[in-house]
Amino acid sequence: MRDGGAGRALAIGQGAFYLATGVWPLLDEASFEAVTGPKREPWLVKTVGVLVAAIGATLAAAGVRRSITPEVAALGAVTAAGIAVVEGWYAGRRRRISPIYLADAAFEAALAAAWGIALARRGGTDERRARRRRGGA
């Protein structure tokens, strides 16, 4: 999936979203909490924000450079799936965080699914495509 296509659009879109949501609590903690609810550990929110922004920058850069490797696709898919599970569990099942996180969990699950579809349409990983070209399984 090194060329453009759906993977490129996903990487740029998810990257931009993660950059924006990652830096938001760093720039304006009050507005972030107004939307997402009060936080017990502001330092933890900021730490997660830095990590999400770093992932976003990586995804966006890969998309702009048209270099969507299997590792980049995995970063996008696994991050989105992980966030979806955590938010779904703590907002839905445990009710420990604001219900607004359920909306983000649904969005994150859609991102993870979109990465799966993009990979399937591209024929899987670069290694599998190379094996098919050589006549292997």
Side-chain angles (χ1 to χ4, degrees):
M1 198 152 81
R2 287 190 186 276
D3 54 339
R8 179 173 186 252
L10 269 170
I12 292 170
Q14 184 178 3
F17 178 70
Y18 279 17
L19 266 169
T21 58
V23 300
W24 182 15
L26 303 173
L27 298 177
D28 190 353
E29 188 178 339
S31 72
F32 183 79
E33 287 191 8
V35 172
T36 64
K39 306 293 183 256
R40 291 183 189 175
E41 302 286 348
W43 69 270
L44 186 56
V45 173
K46 291 177 182 179
T47 301
V48 171
V50 167
L51 294 172
V52 168
I55 293 166
T58 300
L59 291 170
V64 168
R65 295 183 65 193
R66 298 177 188 269
S67 183
I68 309 302
T69 64
E71 296 82 5
V72 169
L75 178 65
V78 173
T79 302
I83 291 172
V85 168
V86 169
E87 290 178 337
W89 178 258
Y90 284 99
R93 184 93 168 133
R94 301 281 311 235
R95 296 195 171 124
R96 294 268 327 247
I97 59 177
S98 170
I100 192 71
Y101 285 100
L102 288 174
D104 188 61
F107 178 71
E108 299 290 345
L111 281 173
W115 277 113
I117 292 167
L119 279 169
R121 285 187 178 161
R122 296 290 304 162
T125 66
D126 291 340
E127 184 179 323
R128 274 198 306 204
R129 283 197 309 276
R131 272 192 302 226
R132 268 186 268 168
R133 281 193 296 261
R134 291 190 304 262

